[in-house]
Structures are given as structure tokens and as C-alpha cells.
Amino acid sequence: MPTVSVNLKDCSYDILVEQGVLHRAGELIKAAGIEGHAALITDANISLHYSDIVKSSLQAAGYKVSAHLIPPGETSKCMDQVQLLSRSLIEQHHDRSSFVVALGGGVVGDLAGFVASIFYRGLPCVQIPTTVVAQVDSAIGGKTGVNEPEGKNLIGSFHQPSLVISDPDTLLTLPDRVFHEGFAEVIKHAAIRDADMLGHLESMDPNNKSVDPELIARNAAIKARIVEEDEREQSGTRALLNFGHTVGHAIEASAEYGTLLHGEAISLGVRAALYLSEKVTGLKASYTERLLALHRHWNLPLVLETEISNDAIHTALSRDKKFKNGKRPFVLLCSPGDAVLSEEVTHDLINEAIDHIRTPIEGSVAA
Ligand code: GLY
């Protein structure tokens, strides 16, 4: 089975990627040496398809399991749900010898991972991501947390999972929009670290949800190497993963959570970042065109059409937790696969970039 190891001294773990591996979750968790009472956290949509499979597999491996449901959607990534889930775990008699299984997309993974990080001062967490975003990005690297009205992920912790189990077959049941938004993160990986992947993404059929496990593993490995270099986002390497996310997160927060999917907001943010890259780091316009065409190919929006004002986006930007001493390092591209952190992006330039992403592009989806 394609396996990607994340080597982090005391908290190293494996990412297992295989079609159908969901059915073997219990035995694989046992083989990873994880013991105790399992708290299976998922959302009502995922539960319909996959809860029983994972629960039966855990029980067959000898685990006692309690199931905990959250409502689907970004609005569940909040402190109220942290409290509700924690109460639910207490009621089901979980304690420090338990472990959490996060079954779902980015919302479930971030929320359940955060609960695992604080419940009884920290439980092991197994991530079983079921969306593209989660399999290539959010389930890996230990960032957990919840949103506040002022911004994304403002409350959270670093809590590395003990194991990640990715089954590409779970992508087959995703709604089109949710499937496509994940490719914003895949394209991001290609843009910042793996330009050779671009041709492959251009040749894929965006209507075919049967994704090669090797593509998931290739992206998991990009994320894993970056996390190994800079686990706590201190040296600047991990910050490169925020390409497109500075403006993207601000748009996502300004549009009210759930209006735009995460990957859709990131697609808009990437267009802004490409504009800024041409201005500041001299990125060639032909590369911008190629990346924008790839976003269009994956049905991702590139034109900001909502009523969000530049001021609202700036207010959300100023609350971004990555601001230090009033400055916000901005991820820009120099050339394919080569990203840098720049301190040269001013307020005025960001305004220009936001105006730019309001201009129509022929053939592009608007959001
Ligand atoms: N999703 C960005 C990171 O994990 O650092």
C-alpha cells in the first residue's frame, strides 16, 4: 500500500493510502499500536456512507466504539461544537485512555483533532480524511482548531495525528463542488513545490472522481516533507503552504462561512497572489495564464462577484493570526515550483489585487 511517513521525532506517523482501506481501519489502527475506547467523530453526511464501515472495522479489531455526530459544514467549526463534543465524550465515559477517530473532511478533522488535543489534556487522534482537501492537506501536519467570526482557525493547537488512513474511494461520493474545491490545494502543491505535476493535472478528467492513490500519496508526501522541515511554522517553509490563502481566507471569512467552499476561496486568493507575484517577484505572465487555466479546468472560481467590499477583506486580513508587528509575510511565486515569503506586499498592492480579481475572465466561473 502506498505509505508516506511523517518523521517528527517523538510524534512520527504514517499516512496509508489505498482504495478500500476504510474497511481495514480497525486492524491498521491496532497495528499502529493505538489502544483504548474509540470516539468516532463524523458529520451527518459522511456518516450515511462510511460510519458503519469504520465502526464495524473497529469493533472487529476488538475496540469499544462510541459515535459522535456534528452537523455538516464550516459553521460546525466553532467553540460551541467543541463543548458539545467534549460533553458527549464525557457522557460516553471516555477518559485519558481513549482515542479519537476523525472521519470526514477538513471541518471534521480540524474540530475532532482540536477536541483530541484538549480532552483530558490530549488523546491520540487517527485521521480518516474523506475529501480531497483533507487527504492532501488538512489531515496531515497536526493543525487543529476552530473559526471565530473574525477569522479562520483563530483558536487551535498543534496536535499531530497518530495515523492517517486515506481511502480514495471515499471521493466517489463527494458532491461535484466539494470534489473540485480539493484540487485548489493540489494545484497549490504543484505551484509551490512540484511543477511536474501540472501536466498530469491538466490531463485529468475533472468529472472522473476515481482518483489514483498515487496522486493522493504524491500530495501527502509534499505536505509531509514541508511539515518535517517546519512543524510549527517557524522557519517560513510551512508558511509557503499558505500560497493563495492570505486573501483566500479573508474572502472566506468576509463571505460568511459556508457561502464559498474553502478551495473556492483559495482559488480566488491564488489569482490575487499570481497578480502580486507578477508585480513583486517577476513571475512570467505565461505561468499565471497556465495556472489560471488549470483552475478553470477544475471548475474553480476566479472572479470575485460577491458583495464583499475591499474594506471587509482588509478587516479580515488585519485579524489574520499571521500578522506580526503589523506586517504580513505574503507567499509569492518566482517561477514554477518556486515560492518565497515576501515582505514587499503593501496594503495598496493588496487593494489592487482585490480589484483585479473582480475583473471577468472569459470562460471562468464567478463566486
Ligand atoms: N494547511 C496549511 C498547513 O497545514 O500548514
Side-chain angles (χ1 to χ4, degrees), residues 137-138 140-141 143 185 188 223 227 233 238 241-242 245:
D137 183 13
S138 61
I140 304 160
K143 278 190 182 174
E185 300 290 4
K188 175 194 81 179
K223 177 82 188 256
V227 169
E233 203 167 313
R238 187 164 181 169
L241 289 169
N242 295 322
H245 284 55

Side-chain angles (χ1 to χ4, degrees), residues 30-345:
K30 187 122 283 190
I34 299 160
E35 295 294 343
H37 181 182
L40 175 62
I41 300 178
T42 189
D43 75 30
N45 287 343
I46 303 294
S47 174
L48 285 177
H49 296 289
Y50 306 116
S51 253
D52 286 348
I53 296 172
V54 173
K55 194 171 176 189
S56 308
S57 163
L58 284 161
Q59 286 167 335
Y63 291 107
K64 184 178 166 195
V65 188
S66 69
H68 309 263
L69 276 191
I70 62 162
E74 188 75 25
T75 49
S76 282
K77 231 178 101 171
C78 64
M79 284 304 278
D80 285 353
Q81 282 299 333
V82 172
Q83 173 71 1
L84 286 169
L85 277 174
S86 302
R87 297 286 328 150
S88 174
L89 262 63
I90 291 167
E91 279 156 20
Q92 292 298 319
H93 310 292
H94 285 282
D95 59 23
R96 68 178 66 238
S97 63
S98 295
F99 69 97
V100 166
V101 178
L103 173 68
V107 170
V108 170
D110 286 8
L111 175 67
F114 185 51
V115 170
S117 78
I118 56 174
F119 192 82
Y120 274 77
R121 301 194 196 285
L123 303 182
C125 182
V126 176
Q127 292 278 353
I128 308 187
T130 60
T131 63
V132 181
V133 170
Q135 291 186 357
V136 303
D137 183 13
S138 61
I140 304 160
K143 278 190 182 174
T144 79
V146 295
N147 304 327
E148 286 293 310
E150 290 82 2
K152 292 264 299 177
N153 304 324
L154 293 188
I155 298 174
S157 61
F158 283 99
H159 187 62
Q160 295 296 337
S162 302
L163 181 67
V164 180
I165 301 173
S166 285
D167 183 345
D169 279 352
T170 59
L171 309 179
L172 295 170
T173 52
L174 290 178
D176 291 351
R177 257 182 91 189
V178 177
F179 179 67
H180 291 143
E181 68 148 342
F183 281 84
E185 300 290 4
V186 177
I187 298 169
K188 175 194 81 179
H189 281 159
I192 65 166
R193 276 276 165 126
D194 185 358
D196 288 347
M197 190 163 49
L198 291 172
H200 183 58
L201 296 174
E202 284 161 347
S203 69
M204 282 175 73
D205 173 4
N207 297 315
N208 180 3
K209 292 179 187 156
S210 175
V211 176
D212 185 346
E214 292 295 341
L215 183 71
I216 302 295
R218 179 174 181 166
N219 278 277
I222 291 171
K223 177 82 188 256
R225 298 295 81 82
I226 288 176
V227 169
E228 284 170 355
E229 263 182 63
D230 182 18
E231 183 188 355
R232 299 262 167 156
E233 203 167 313
Q234 285 164 330
S235 72
T237 306
R238 187 164 181 169
L240 300 179
L241 289 169
N242 295 322
F243 177 62
H245 284 55
T246 308
V247 171
H249 272 170
I251 291 172
E252 199 179 350
S254 309
E256 291 193 2
Y257 295 119
T259 315
L260 278 174
L261 299 179
H262 174 70
E264 294 172 340
I266 297 318
S267 175
L268 295 164
V270 164
R271 187 175 170 206
L274 290 169
Y275 175 85
L276 293 166
S277 300
E278 284 190 28
K279 296 260 168 198
V280 178
T281 43
L283 183 73
K284 286 197 178 131
S286 57
Y287 190 53
T288 296
E289 284 313 314
R290 188 175 181 193
L291 281 178
L292 294 182
L294 191 53
H295 283 81
R296 274 200 299 279
H297 178 73
W298 284 97
N299 224 21
L300 289 160
L302 291 169
V303 183
L304 180 62
E305 271 205 348
T306 51
E307 295 305 308
I308 311 163
S309 66
N310 288 22
D311 281 351
I313 297 174
H314 275 289
T315 304
L317 276 172
S318 67
R319 289 181 180 131
D320 189 313
K321 62 188 181 309
K322 293 183 181 76
F323 261 100
K324 278 186 202 140
N325 308 324
K327 281 195 163 173
R328 169 59 162 101
F330 210 103
V331 187
L332 300 177
L333 289 185
C334 300
S335 58
D338 181 16
V340 290
L341 267 186
S342 168
E343 300 275 351
E344 307 297 311
V345 178

